[in-house]
Amino acid sequence: MGKIEIIQGDITKQAVDAIVNAANCSLLGGGGVDGAIHRAAGPELLAECRTLHGCETGKAKITKGYRLPAKHVIHTPGPVWHGGGRGEDELLASCYRSCLELAAANGCKTVDFPSISTGVYHFPLDRASRIAVREIDAFLKEHPEIERVRMVCFDGRTKASYEEALSEL
Ligand code: ADP
């Protein structure tokens, strides 16, 4: 069986080693999944994020999970979609790789991702899902110590897109 799974659910409820936050470059919270993670984790998360001094698009930074059931949060600012000519594909791929590198470096064996950039950042969903599963699959082949990576999709349309992308691998 593969180590990549697609589920529908709320990422703030997942008791895994690390959940990923589709953050913005300030790392000081925002809407969507970012807001949900900060609300569920409590103000200690924002306090730790303030010490990180932001993050570049495509890179990632790790914090503790505080009141979340997850042990860690890996924050990554995804690219805003500008039509595809500003390196969006490579930046999105870099988000997935950077998060998994941090997860591996911190001993995280189970990692859950939201659908990075496909909310208010408007990255086309089917294009994003193909990039995500390709990068996760490539990373897992090089890092057998990571046991499971899930895409936690908030809605059925997103889940269907990631399932299709996974089936095409
Ligand atoms: P971005 O700014 O990277 O586009 P968004 O938070 O707007 O990030 O959206 C990214 C994805 O996260 C969307 O598919 C959105 O529906 C989803 N999402 C929002 N809240 C949650 C949650 N609690 N758990 C999982 N996914 C969520």
Side-chain angles (χ1 to χ4, degrees):
M1 266 302 288
K3 292 178 166 186
I4 306 177
E5 295 176 15
I6 316 295
I7 65 165
Q8 189 169 344
D10 179 344
I11 203 165
T12 67
K13 307 272 195 259
Q14 309 305 322
V16 288
D17 292 333
I19 63 168
V20 171
N21 180 14
N24 56 54
C25 291
S26 77
L27 299 186
L28 300 180
V33 71
D34 193 2
I37 288 171
H38 276 274
R39 276 194 299 280
E44 298 93 342
L45 178 63
L46 182 58
E48 184 175 356
C49 284
R50 284 191 201 286
T51 71
L52 300 176
H53 306 295
C55 185
E56 284 172 45
T57 301
K59 304 277 176 58
K61 293 192 177 178
I62 191 166
T63 64
K64 291 188 276 189
Y66 299 99
R67 300 177 199 177
L68 291 165
K71 289 188 200 124
H72 299 90
V73 181
I74 300 174
H75 308 262
T76 188
V80 177
W81 182 256
H82 290 291
R86 294 202 202 168
E88 292 96 327
D89 289 349
E90 179 46 38
L91 286 166
L92 186 65
S94 174
C95 286
Y96 284 92
R97 282 198 302 275
S98 300
C99 288
L100 289 168
E101 278 162 12
L102 263 184
N106 286 275
C108 301
K109 296 181 187 306
T110 53
V111 183
D112 282 4
F113 282 92
S115 178
I116 298 166
S117 284
T118 68
V120 296
Y121 283 2
H122 289 299
F123 203 108
L125 178 60
D126 290 344
R127 188 166 173 140
S129 59
R130 287 193 188 95
I131 292 167
V133 299
R134 184 189 72 211
E135 292 303 324
I136 295 167
D137 182 61
F139 192 90
L140 288 174
K141 287 186 169 125
E142 303 293 325
H143 292 269
E145 71 274 20
I146 295 193
E147 292 169 2
R148 188 189 69 193
V149 176
R150 297 191 302 192
M151 293 301 312
V152 181
C153 303
F154 211 41
D155 58 82
R157 174 174 164 263
T158 301
K159 179 169 180 265
S161 178
Y162 282 86
E163 281 174 340
E164 174 75 17
L166 186 59
S167 75
E168 287 170 8
L169 263 190

